[in-house]
Amino acid sequence: MEPLVPSPGAGKEALATLRILVVGGEGGSAGGLVQNLRQWADDGRLEIDTAPDLPRAVRQLAGQRWDVVLAVLGDRPDDDLPWWVDTLRGANGSPRLIAVAQAPSMGLVLRAEKLGLLDVLSLPLRRDELVRALERLRSVVSETAVPLPLVEPHAVGPYALVGQSPAMLDVYKLLARVAGSSATVLVQGESGTGKEVVARAIHINGPHASGAFVAVNCAAIPENLLESELFGHEKGAFTGAVTRKIGRFEQAGRGTLFLDEIADMSLALQAKILRAVQEREIERVGGGETIPVDVRLIAATNRDLKEAIKQARFREDLYYRLAVVTIRLPTLGERGDDLVLLTAYFVRHFAERYGKRIRAISDRALDLLRAHAWVGNVRELRNVIERAVIVATDETLRAEHLPDELRGEETTLADRPQGGLLTLAEAEARHIARVLAHTNGQIGAAAEILGIHRNTLTRKMKEYGL
Amino acid sequence: MTAPPPVRVEKALALMPELEALAPLRALLVSIARPDEATMWSSSGPYLTLGKRGVHPDELRRRMPQAFHRISEHLQALFKGYVEALESQQRGDAPGVVAALLRAGRLEEEVGRHTQARTWYEVALGVAEALQDRRPEVEALRALGYACVALGDYAAGARHFQRSLALAEAEFDQAGATAASEGLGDVALAQGQWGGAQAWYSRGLRLAEAAGDAPRAGRLERQLGVLARKQADLAAAGEFLRKARERFEAAGVADEMAGVLNEQGRLDAQLGRYTAASAAYREALAWAQRAVRDARLELSIRLNLAELDLEAGKLLEAESELRRAEQVAIAGHVILRLAQVYTLMGRLRGAQGDETGFVFFEQAIELARAVEHSVATEAQVYHAYGLFRSRLGQRDEARAYLERARELFDSLGEAVERERIEAELSALSA
């Protein structure tokens, strides 16, 4: 009989006992599940304990460390699943979750995949399915540690420019050419590509370096407050103007003003910015005095400004004032092996901040990072690495330290029954789920991308339980 | 062709007149608003608030039938309640009339319409007052008391509970007297009158225990625990909460278990026991999952968990928890509590030394004024905003915001908070 926990490969250390907490496995639809598990665990490498429900499981998890939580979902598995993931987050030893449900729908499987579950199994539980799930868990022991490469970052204040890819070398060359002048610069690039870091680098290496670098995020500040944030206001100029306020233009005097996400500004405010750029003077809100300003302006956007001009959402005259020099930043995907360098840099950076000693990353973790579609580019990578460093317990950053979403991408739960090949329906369901995720659940937009009528899409979503 | 971008909530709401008839549409609009993925990773992503979320008119149109359905269901239930009252009237069953009117009021409370609920209860009380049997009057007064408390009218609430108690005692209605004592305790607690709250809760507990009313005794013990914690008698607080937990667990009351564990978490946090507090909150969430879905309860637990992480310096965890709380508030139609979510988010940015964090306080003030209509919440936001400015070294603005908070607490008669702010203002001037 096949052992429940797979044998390790030759030369590997003997596997430790896996501790499994079975929740809700006694009585009801799960009848006999715990009994079966106890029988299957007879080979001695599984330790089974039980909890009647989620609250009691949380209590047990607070006291002891478990490798796996096997949760028998109730009548509303789609509603239950996020609760399970949520309440197990931060549990002792970060146990992996296997959900067990009566006839799990395709929607449930896809949701589980997104939430990073180890597996979704159907009732009655089959031994071979459990073996496969545990095999995936045990594959952790076969991860090989890869030493972190050395990185020589270009320090930019509290930030750093990291990367040696051809795309980044082009950026460095342009940056070096433009920094010495006082020219206004427009930095374009997708979210998280490092536009502010580049702006800071220009400032530090330019003639305004002795002045302040003042950054304003135009999209973050409510429209009704942005004008006073930029130009300042006099006391009592409007409700809430409790004191006189010096605006960012003035704060940046003889330094650099960085206007981030400039495309999010209203046309009225764009006109005022244009005046400030042209005349080099401003007026505080509620004040009659004209104040001269001497600042270098750097603007950034993740939008296509030419398209915005066509749609009359951005002033053409302001565009040409700002885009004296344009620097376009590559996405993380366009930067090839920079991903490894950035990973190494962030691991060291956060290890130092959190007092950890991490010298390597596992090959599997690196593969997961390489395979991920980095919508948020470097900012997303930074975020992932920071969280991973916080949960890492030894000198190697492993796949288990990465967020559920990334690990979930590796699992591809729905692939398994057919040994890696999907049925047409499964492939269709997965593609629809992906497109819906892309459109944030907008059925109309998803139907447009898929090239089908929205009623057809609604029907298919119902059919697949999406 | 690419789909047009969503409309921002701040712009969408600016186009909607403040009419009561549009309130369900406003709630629907807010509940379906979401950030798009690109915005989440942009540099403005960390500052996303409700106003910066996007909404597609197409989706709003598609979801409108659901909103109509809910409105129609609510109106049907209200109309049915009224017809039942009328039928009772026809039969000469006055207690039946009162019961039907109270049911209608509770339906209004369930959807957060406390003013409307109070109107139903007032009509019910008018009928009950004419009856020889005083128990319907006791019940109507109690319902009215809680509606007043929900509306922040503590003086009226206390009056109703007092009368309810007097009548219940005269009628030997022990359950009614217990409930009225609990209500009086709640009013005193809300006003920071610790001694009064202690007396009322203790009296209620004695009555509940004598009547063998375990769930109410558990609730009163929990409230006594809250009170003891506020008075810094942490050992007594722990003891009350333990007893309450035992009662609720034996009875398997999931929502009460979630509530008492939420309070246990706060106690552990006050004792500086981070791990125990975190475990209590997580267990509270697990119990909340087993109970009938209550977004307010879940939100309260998540806010406490976030505050715990914030105070422990676990800023990443705090931020994740706050974003989850924000989603619960938005999707669960608990917009009233969003101001608290954003106030904590602002505090978090303050802890990071991030000046742009002021956007959260601005959004919280707007919500407290326009949506929650709560002076108390507005005062709390200004208080936190003042501390945020102070932390960034902006003393003039800090002073102005703290003074505004003091003024608002003054208008509420909140002596304890006022004193705290006074001390902070003195420290600022020093």
Side-chain angles (χ1 to χ4, degrees):
Chain A
M1 193 165 146
E2 193 186 359
L4 195 58
V5 179
S7 299
K12 300 266 184 203
E13 286 175 19
L15 294 171
T17 300
L18 270 184
R19 303 193 71 221
I20 302 182
L21 181 63
V22 185
V23 189
E26 283 163 313
S29 56
L33 184 143
V34 174
Q35 201 182 346
N36 282 344
L37 276 170
R38 289 200 199 281
Q39 280 173 8
W40 298 342
D42 275 350
D43 67 358
R45 278 185 287 143
L46 277 191
E47 193 182 318
I48 309 277
D49 204 347
T50 61
D53 52 29
L54 179 59
R56 268 80 167 201
V58 171
R59 213 176 285 172
Q60 279 177 252
L61 285 159
Q64 293 174 61
R65 192 186 166 101
W66 302 88
D67 300 303
V68 176
V69 172
L70 197 140
V72 179
L73 302 181
D75 300 338
R76 297 171 303 159
D78 289 292
D79 293 340
D80 289 351
L81 205 55
W83 281 94
W84 276 93
V85 173
D86 193 26
T87 42
L88 294 186
R89 187 179 286 118
N92 213 347
S94 307
R96 297 300 304 273
L97 181 61
I98 297 178
V100 184
Q102 285 284 3
S105 68
M106 177 65 75
L108 182 72
V109 172
L110 291 171
R111 195 159 195 194
E113 193 172 302
K114 199 174 173 189
L115 290 167
L117 264 71
L118 183 61
D119 215 329
V120 176
L121 306 175
S122 58
L123 281 169
L125 189 61
R126 285 175 42 181
R127 192 171 188 278
D128 56 333
E129 286 185 347
L130 183 65
V131 168
R132 262 202 298 269
L134 297 179
E135 257 171 25
R136 260 201 312 286
L137 182 70
R138 301 308 311 199
S139 68
V140 171
V141 297
S142 64
E143 285 183 55
T144 307
V146 180
L148 291 170
L150 281 174
V151 185
E152 286 178 23
H154 308 281
V156 184
Y159 307 93
L161 279 168
V162 175
Q164 299 168 351
S165 62
M168 278 312 281
L169 288 180
D170 287 344
V171 170
Y172 297 154
K173 284 177 197 164
L174 191 51
L175 201 152
R177 276 207 301 275
V178 76
S181 73
S182 289
T184 302
V185 180
L186 177 67
V187 188
Q188 286 193 297
E190 283 186 12
S191 296
T193 46
K195 295 185 284 292
E196 184 171 341
V197 182
V198 165
R200 283 180 186 274
I202 294 170
H203 168 72
I204 287 174
N205 294 292
H208 291 71
S210 58
F213 177 87
V214 176
V216 186
N217 192 305
C218 303
I221 298 170
E223 210 169 294
N224 56 331
L225 297 176
L226 188 54
E227 186 180 353
S228 83
E229 201 57 30
L230 287 169
F231 302 114
H233 61 243
E234 296 295 339
K235 186 175 179 178
F238 50 86
T239 319
V242 288
T243 56
R244 181 189 209 194
K245 182 182 171 71
I246 302 296
R248 305 291 179 99
F249 264 95
E250 282 182 82
Q251 286 173 25
R254 285 196 278 279
T256 301
L257 179 65
F258 175 56
L259 296 178
D260 200 358
E261 302 203 34
I262 190 134
D264 285 69
M265 215 179 261
S266 69
L267 286 167
L269 201 51
Q270 285 174 31
K272 290 182 180 169
I273 296 282
L274 180 67
R275 181 174 171 267
V277 176
Q278 279 175 334
E279 315 289 333
R280 298 271 155 191
E281 56 188 32
I282 58 147
E283 269 177 33
R284 292 191 195 121
V285 178
E289 190 191 352
T290 301
I291 300 159
V293 284
D294 170 24
V295 293
R296 177 179 202 168
L297 204 63
I298 303 178
T301 181
N302 55 12
R303 304 266 182 89
D304 181 348
L305 285 187
K306 287 192 174 159
E307 185 60 34
I309 291 167
K310 271 189 214 157
Q311 294 172 356
R313 285 188 289 114
F314 200 83
R315 291 179 68 112
E316 192 171 11
D317 44 7
L318 180 60
Y319 172 77
Y320 286 110
R321 279 283 175 177
L322 297 176
V324 176
V325 180
T326 301
I327 298 180
R328 192 197 150 272
L329 296 185
T331 63
L332 188 53
E334 289 166 337
R335 295 178 59 179
D337 273 350
D338 277 357
L339 179 122
V340 181
L341 297 177
L342 284 159
T343 299
Y345 171 74
F346 288 135
V347 169
R348 289 203 179 90
H349 175 78
F350 290 116
E352 194 182 325
R353 178 185 292 182
Y354 295 110
K356 305 264 173 110
R357 193 181 166 88
I358 301 175
R359 294 161 181 274
I361 182 165
S362 79
D363 54 349
R364 190 161 147 251
L366 210 46
D367 285 347
L368 284 172
L369 294 175
R370 279 198 171 111
H372 183 62
W374 296 98
V375 181
N377 293 291
V378 183
R379 182 175 290 122
E380 187 183 358
L381 176 67
R382 183 183 194 275
N383 195 301
V384 163
I385 300 297
E386 181 172 7
R387 284 165 195 276
V389 168
I390 288 172
V391 296
T393 48
D394 57 28
E395 292 195 352
T396 301
L397 199 87
R398 299 177 198 285
E400 66 182 294
H401 303 136
L402 296 177
D404 292 341
E405 299 81 26
L406 259 86
R407 287 188 290 169
E409 284 165 13
E410 185 192 40
T411 319
T412 57
L413 300 176
D415 294 3
R416 290 167 300 96
Q418 281 72 36
L421 293 174
L422 304 180
T423 65
L424 193 56
E426 283 166 345
E428 185 175 67
R430 294 169 72 79
H431 186 58
I432 290 173
R434 219 167 274 150
V435 173
L436 282 167
H438 177 75
T439 61
N440 269 324
Q442 296 295 312
I443 295 178
E448 200 176 305
I449 293 171
L450 291 163
I452 56 176
H453 193 272
R454 62 175 305 140
N455 292 347
T456 310
L457 176 56
T458 310
R459 182 174 51 74
K460 283 180 183 290
M461 285 167 65
K462 205 168 169 186
E463 187 183 328
Y464 297 135
L466 297 174
Chain B
M1 203 180 86
T2 53
V7 180
R8 282 196 172 160
V9 170
E10 60 191 6
K11 288 194 173 155
L13 290 179
L15 296 177
M16 195 183 290
E18 281 284 335
L19 298 172
E20 207 212 334
L22 296 179
L25 182 62
R26 195 174 299 116
L28 175 66
L29 185 147
V30 167
S31 72
I32 63 169
R34 47 174 97 87
D36 68 74
E37 203 175 6
T39 311
M40 282 159 70
W41 285 113
S42 72
S43 48
S44 61
Y47 310 104
L48 261 176
T49 56
L50 174 65
K52 299 285 184 190
R53 287 185 164 217
V55 67
H56 284 276
D58 175 44
E59 192 182 358
L60 191 61
R61 181 178 287 120
R62 195 158 39 80
R63 297 275 191 103
M64 268 163 43
Q66 289 171 23
F68 289 142
H69 180 67
R70 272 202 300 274
I71 297 165
S72 152
E73 264 187 344
H74 181 67
L75 285 177
Q76 274 182 37
L78 287 182
F79 290 8
K80 198 168 149 244
Y82 174 72
V83 172
E84 281 167 7
L86 214 53
E87 283 168 347
S88 299
Q89 177 78 17
Q90 195 176 36
R91 283 196 308 271
D93 171 15
V97 175
V98 177
L101 293 170
L102 290 179
R103 272 199 301 278
R106 285 189 201 105
L107 289 170
E108 297 278 33
E109 284 201 289
E110 278 169 22
V111 293
R113 289 161 50 99
H114 298 287
T115 309
Q116 288 79 356
R118 182 164 65 179
T119 309
W120 284 101
Y121 296 148
E122 281 165 353
V123 177
L125 181 63
V127 178
E129 280 170 342
L131 297 176
Q132 203 169 356
D133 178 2
R134 312 304 293 270
R135 276 171 305 187
E137 191 179 349
V138 169
E139 204 182 333
L141 282 164
R142 193 169 62 237
L144 207 42
Y146 276 116
C148 290
V149 170
L151 290 164
D153 188 353
Y154 298 127
R159 268 200 317 278
H160 293 309
F161 286 128
Q162 283 280 12
R163 217 172 123 215
S164 174
L165 177 66
L167 286 175
E169 284 180 339
E171 291 288 307
F172 301 105
D173 172 4
Q174 202 166 6
T178 314
S181 299
E182 187 181 356
L184 282 163
D186 289 344
V187 172
L189 183 66
Q191 292 179 298
Q193 296 164 358
W194 309 142
Q198 174 83 38
W200 288 119
Y201 285 143
S202 301
R203 181 173 177 173
L205 180 58
R206 280 195 302 278
L207 290 168
E209 280 180 328
D213 184 350
R216 192 170 303 270
R219 272 209 305 277
L220 285 156
E221 278 162 346
R222 185 195 62 208
Q223 290 304 86
L224 280 163
V226 172
L227 188 63
R229 180 178 59 76
K230 282 181 183 280
Q231 292 174 293
D233 186 354
L234 304 186
E239 189 53 24
F240 280 124
L241 293 178
R242 184 190 61 75
K243 284 185 194 161
R245 205 168 60 232
E246 280 173 9
R247 280 190 210 272
F248 292 139
E249 189 155 12
V253 201
D255 58 339
E256 297 286 9
M257 270 303 280
V260 79
L261 281 161
N262 191 23
E263 191 49 44
Q264 180 67 47
R266 298 187 73 177
L267 174 64
D268 286 326
Q270 199 161 327
L271 284 162
R273 302 194 301 221
Y274 172 84
T275 310
S278 178
Y281 290 139
R282 295 210 174 276
E283 193 180 332
L285 278 174
W287 282 104
Q289 186 262 345
R290 291 192 69 195
V292 176
R293 188 78 196 264
D294 179 353
R296 282 178 179 79
L297 176 62
E298 185 186 346
L299 188 59
S300 167
I301 302 167
R302 291 193 185 285
L303 282 170
N304 286 336
L305 194 48
E307 191 163 16
L308 177 76
D309 285 331
L310 178 58
E311 276 162 15
K314 299 193 165 200
L315 303 187
L316 274 181
E317 286 88 339
E319 183 165 359
S320 303
E321 204 53 62
L322 283 172
R323 287 302 183 192
R324 278 191 284 274
E326 181 190 34
Q327 189 51 39
V328 170
I330 290 173
H333 304 279
V334 199
I335 309 304
L336 299 184
R337 302 288 299 272
L338 258 185
Q340 281 167 276
V341 176
Y342 291 138
T343 304
L344 273 178
M345 199 65 112
R347 275 179 57 191
L348 186 144
R349 295 284 174 245
Q352 293 170 323
D354 178 353
E355 197 180 342
T356 310
F358 82 93
V359 299
F360 289 110
F361 294 107
E362 293 288 349
Q363 176 81 83
I365 290 169
E366 201 178 314
L367 286 167
R369 278 186 194 148
V371 183
E372 194 171 349
H373 304 291
S374 164
V375 177
T377 305
E378 195 181 340
Q380 282 155 11
V381 180
Y382 270 113
H383 183 193
Y385 200 0
L387 297 178
F388 169 84
R389 291 291 186 193
S390 168
R391 194 170 189 150
L392 293 171
Q394 298 161 349
R395 296 165 74 91
D396 289 345
E397 281 173 308
R399 183 172 296 106
Y401 291 132
L402 288 175
E403 280 168 356
R404 177 73 184 133
R406 182 177 61 185
E407 195 181 307
L408 292 169
F409 280 128
D410 264 348
S411 72
L412 292 168
E414 273 269 17
V416 181
E417 290 299 325
R418 193 193 188 287
E419 273 172 33
R420 268 179 64 194
I421 292 173
E422 204 63 68
E424 278 149 5
L425 278 166
S426 305
L428 207 59
S429 306

